[in-house]
Amino acid sequence: MSKQTMLLLFAFVVGCSSSMLPSIAISYGIAQFKFVTIVGEENALEAFSFAQGMVMLLLLIGVPVVGRLADQFFSAANKRHYWIVIGNALGLIALYGFSQATTRGQILTSWLCVLLSYTFASNSFRALIPQLLPREKLSAYSGLIGSCIPVALTLNLMLILGALADAAINIKLMYLGGLQFLLSAIAITILLQYRRKHVPERTVSRRSEETSYRQYLVVLVAKTCISIAISGTTVLPLYYITRFGMEQSEVFVLNAAMSAGVILILLTGALSTHYAEKFNKQRSFLALGALFIGVGLIGYASADTLVWAIISGICFQLGLGPVNALGMALVNRVLPNERRYGRDLAIVEAATHFGPAMMHFAMPVVVATGISLSGGDGYSLLFYCLVLFAAVFTGTLFFIKKEKSKGPI
């Protein structure tokens, strides 16, 4: 691998992860405590689940429209950085609005704006991956990027949520916005320099001759199922508070400590990418990742001590490595048409929002049903339901055609 390619991959990891950072931080830690402050601990799950579901449903409409506009005006590799800058600027404004929100309506509106704006930027970064990377190594390099993105996300979240555990949410969000803007600017600069030196502008795509929309639709179903399984972890802060009686600052510290497991995500992602390419076993490694995720969810459901919950989280992280790495490689492999990368990636993004949106609407009902059936806090039934979607994801893999192996990176 040349130094130029390594620098390009670094830019993609930094750019994609930084554009996802605000959305992940809000969904997996900050929004829950916003609702705890406003409606109280007892009503936080219902309020958070409804808001999360509404936001994701609205994204189903907004994200494909944005992707289509990006293709219409900035589809060439030398123009997508405009869309990235626009998304980051709008996202920074929306992030400030979220930090100042004091009502459920204000949180919902500003949260939607944050997700939509940073999705503009994230999808534009991801659309550049199949445009700038060599076709013969696209799966391998995409897998490497996919395995590194969670690492970059986790390190940044450790910095914001862990180091600033006792800081006010407003302070966390402002640091978050500033860090995101800086990292995104670095990535854009590298990508622009690389394009000018190495990549001629391409206007014709033959990708539609190599892959079919049928495979693309199968991948949509698979991504939706695994996204539902993973989305259950958004309630972990409330789960820790309810089941183990933890305080907010303790949850932030625990999340920061759990971030040490990022090395597992990196290692399993990199190893699964290497050996999946070498032995042409992408589906097998994806199924193995789903198995670890399922075991982790079962562990969360049955945990009666914090130590057992932590062990379950580690198992869950082991599965995220291959699922994230090979999942991104799979999506990039089946994109049918270069001129519609933005739209097709946006549809994939929308599909990954649809299932979790439905699940978040159902979460309060599922938890309440679990309480009525077996007592306790009701979270066990929720996690068992999520295991079923990990199993369905594994089943859909059998409908995805194998790709001829290109060998290891």
Side-chain angles (χ1 to χ4, degrees):
M1 185 187 299
S2 66
K3 292 182 179 180
Q4 290 84 2
T5 302
M6 293 179 63
L7 190 62
L8 180 62
L9 297 179
F10 171 79
F12 279 131
V13 171
V14 172
C16 292
S17 62
S18 65
S19 297
M20 297 165 62
L21 179 61
S23 302
I24 296 295
I26 290 176
S27 297
Y28 286 83
I30 292 178
Q32 294 92 328
F33 296 125
K34 269 279 192 182
F35 283 108
V36 169
T37 302
I38 293 175
V39 302
E41 183 179 320
E42 293 182 355
N43 300 315
L45 175 61
E46 180 180 356
F48 168 73
S49 298
F50 177 79
Q52 178 92 328
M54 283 297 298
V55 166
M56 289 187 173
L57 278 180
L58 292 172
L59 285 177
L60 292 178
I61 302 173
V63 170
V65 171
V66 169
R68 183 69 184 90
L69 290 174
D71 285 334
Q72 184 70 29
F73 298 104
F74 306 120
S75 62
N78 64 336
K79 294 181 179 179
R80 288 197 185 273
H81 65 279
Y82 294 121
W83 206 237
I84 297 173
V85 173
I86 292 172
N88 286 334
L90 293 175
L92 194 59
I93 296 172
L95 202 60
Y96 176 78
F98 185 88
S99 71
Q100 302 300 313
T102 56
T103 67
R104 295 173 65 168
Q106 291 175 355
I107 291 177
L108 180 62
T109 302
S110 56
W111 191 359
L112 174 63
C113 292
V114 168
L115 293 181
L116 198 57
S117 298
Y118 284 116
T119 298
F120 297 171
S122 177
N123 279 357
S124 295
F125 270 121
R126 291 175 60 193
L128 284 170
I129 292 175
Q131 285 185 311
L132 299 185
L133 291 177
R135 179 72 180 102
E136 64 275 7
K137 286 293 184 181
L138 179 59
S139 292
Y141 289 156
S142 295
L144 186 58
I145 293 170
S147 65
C148 291
I149 285 177
V151 178
L153 278 170
T154 304
L155 292 176
N156 287 316
L157 288 174
M158 286 176 61
L159 176 64
I160 299 298
L161 301 183
L164 301 175
D166 295 325
I169 290 179
N170 295 2
I171 301 299
K172 290 185 178 73
L173 288 171
M174 290 302 96
Y175 274 100
L176 186 69
L179 179 63
Q180 187 281 327
F181 203 85
L182 175 63
L183 293 175
S184 184
I186 293 173
I188 291 173
T189 301
I190 295 174
L191 291 175
L192 286 176
Q193 292 298 320
Y194 182 91
R195 183 194 59 78
R196 289 169 184 153
K197 294 180 179 180
H198 302 279
V199 182
E201 184 175 350
R202 295 179 294 180
T203 58
V204 178
S205 172
R206 299 184 184 276
R207 184 70 60 83
S208 58
E209 298 176 0
E210 302 174 16
T211 59
S212 68
Y213 270 101
R214 178 179 175 276
Q215 290 291 289
Y216 175 75
L217 292 175
V218 173
V219 171
L220 283 182
V221 174
K223 290 285 290 182
T224 301
C225 291
I226 198 62
S227 296
I228 293 174
I230 295 173
S231 71
T233 57
T234 59
V235 302
L236 283 180
L238 301 178
Y239 164 79
Y240 291 136
I241 291 173
T242 303
R243 181 165 292 192
F244 305 112
M246 299 179 68
E247 299 292 334
Q248 290 187 20
S249 59
E250 293 175 334
V251 173
F252 279 125
V253 172
L254 175 60
N255 287 339
M258 287 295 294
S259 298
V262 70
I263 190 65
L264 297 177
I265 299 176
L266 176 61
L267 287 176
T268 55
L271 289 174
S272 61
T273 298
H274 175 81
Y275 287 106
E277 288 293 310
K278 182 176 182 179
F279 299 111
N280 196 21
K281 295 290 184 180
Q282 290 87 354
R283 296 184 302 180
S284 299
F285 280 96
L286 280 168
L288 182 63
L291 175 63
F292 276 105
I293 287 175
V295 172
L297 290 170
I298 293 174
Y300 280 130
S302 59
D304 53 5
T305 65
L306 183 59
V307 173
W308 186 247
I310 292 174
I311 294 173
S312 302
I314 294 173
C315 184
F316 190 91
Q317 290 174 327
L318 284 172
L320 283 179
V323 166
N324 285 329
L326 297 175
M328 174 172 281
L330 191 64
V331 170
N332 287 334
R333 173 157 66 87
V334 302
L335 289 175
N337 192 303
E338 182 176 321
R339 289 187 177 276
R340 299 185 179 91
Y341 281 169
R343 186 204 65 179
D344 292 337
L345 283 171
I347 292 174
V348 172
E349 185 78 14
T352 60
H353 287 309
F354 174 74
M358 296 296 98
M359 194 64 205
H360 278 91
F361 280 125
M363 277 181 184
V365 177
V366 174
V367 170
T369 302
I371 294 174
S372 64
L373 291 177
S374 58
D377 53 31
Y379 282 97
S380 295
L381 179 61
L382 173 62
F383 288 120
Y384 284 132
C385 290
L386 296 175
V387 173
L388 296 177
F389 287 99
V392 174
F393 165 78
T394 303
T396 61
L397 297 177
F398 292 100
F399 296 94
I400 299 174
K401 294 180 180 179
K402 288 185 178 182
E403 183 185 39
K404 184 179 179 181
S405 177
K406 308 292 191 305
I409 299 175

